[in-house]
Amino acid sequence: AQSVTQLGSHVSVSEGALVLLRCNYSSSVPPYLFWYVQYPNQGLQLLLKYTSAATLVKGINGFEAEFKKSETSFHLTKPSAHMSDAAEYFCAVRSSFNYGQNFVFGPGTRLSVLP
Amino acid sequence: DAGVTQSPTHLIKTRGQQVTLRCSPKSGHDTVSWYQQALGQGPQFIFQYYEEEERQRGNFPDRFSGHQFPNYSSELNVNALLLGDSALYLCASSLVAGSGEQYFGPGTRLTVT
């Protein structure tokens, strides 16, 4: 069975500081990994995805994530936080791209950006 | 190019009633998945439809049912509503032959009183 843990339900950073949101997964097969962002009262927007190509994945809005198989991690980073980055971030895992393979989401991390 | 749309935006129902939520997938997508997101939690998978059939189901009771139409749009039906069914219901669409990511709609906020 697949599962996702996100360490830290709430992370606060100062504007301009490094953003690090942690994600660890459990999967019996090589996983496909995703990060989504959710702004208040909105649906989820895809930030980036790992599909077994390059281990360092670049996404939108300056975010990137690195897949580390030995640590079963897929942490999300951004070198310099912006006020507009304040939102809820979800890590998700999927075992394959075959239909019927659903996403398993983590509980989410709320990012606050302080001026 | 229209993204995933859902209706209604908000809904208030009473315990025991029935509700139908609607979703239109992103243009060109053929697969629709439904998720329940309780307040402060991550989305939980309800079920997925492809070719008008339910392909996989999460850990939700039979009170939750769905349908996919020939134009790929989908409905989620919930019978005998409970207070615990109050949540944001998200629809996501994807392409079965695509690269795997799902595109989400804005959701329907259901409140059961």
Side-chain angles (χ1 to χ4, degrees), chain B residues 45-85:
Chain B
F45 175 72
I46 302 175
F47 42 55
Q48 182 180 76
Y49 277 84
Y50 171 67
E51 290 186 329
E52 302 180 48
E53 292 187 15
E54 182 181 296
R55 298 295 179 170
Q56 190 178 16
R57 188 180 187 90
N59 188 25
F60 279 80
D62 292 344
R63 299 186 297 109
F64 289 78
S65 63
H67 189 77
Q68 186 179 35
F69 300 94
N71 67 353
Y72 307 118
S73 67
S74 176
E75 288 182 350
L76 164 66
N77 301 292
V78 186
N79 295 321
L81 285 167
L82 304 173
L83 293 179
D85 295 332

Side-chain angles (χ1 to χ4, degrees), chain B residues 93-111:
Chain B
S93 74
S94 55
L95 196 56
V96 71
S99 55
E101 65 263 36
Q102 295 186 338
Y103 292 81
F104 284 80
T108 293
R109 173 73 63 186
L110 172 64
T111 301

Side-chain angles (χ1 to χ4, degrees), chain B residues 3-78:
Chain B
V4 180
T5 60
Q6 292 185 243
S7 63
T9 305
H10 295 89
L11 205 52
I12 300 175
K13 290 287 188 177
T14 304
R15 275 179 299 175
Q17 287 188 318
Q18 179 264 345
V19 68
T20 298
L21 310 181
R22 295 176 176 82
C23 171
S24 290
K26 180 178 170 64
S27 178
H29 283 185
D30 52 15
T31 303
V32 173
S33 302
W34 286 93
Y35 292 83
Q36 180 194 67
Q37 186 180 19
L39 199 61
Q41 298 183 22
Q44 299 291 315
F45 175 72
I46 302 175
F47 42 55
Q48 182 180 76
Y49 277 84
Y50 171 67
E51 290 186 329
E52 302 180 48
E53 292 187 15
E54 182 181 296
R55 298 295 179 170
Q56 190 178 16
R57 188 180 187 90
N59 188 25
F60 279 80
D62 292 344
R63 299 186 297 109
F64 289 78
S65 63
H67 189 77
Q68 186 179 35
F69 300 94
N71 67 353
Y72 307 118
S73 67
S74 176
E75 288 182 350
L76 164 66
N77 301 292
V78 186

Side-chain angles (χ1 to χ4, degrees), chain A residues 2 7 13 15 20 27 34 41-43 48 56-57 61 72 83-84 88 90 97:
Chain A
Q2 304 165 91
L7 185 62
V13 300
E15 191 173 19
L20 171 61
S27 177
F34 304 80
N41 300 314
Q42 294 187 26
L48 49 79
L56 183 62
V57 181
N61 301 337
T72 61
M83 297 295 288
S84 62
E88 190 87 20
F90 294 95
F97 288 142

Side-chain angles (χ1 to χ4, degrees), chain A residues 3-7 22-26 33 35 68 71-75 91 93:
Chain A
S3 66
V4 176
T5 57
Q6 293 182 241
L7 185 62
R22 300 178 185 275
C23 171
N24 289 88
Y25 69 91
S26 172
L33 296 160
W35 275 99
K68 292 186 176 181
E71 299 178 7
T72 61
S73 69
F74 190 57
H75 301 332
C91 181
V93 63

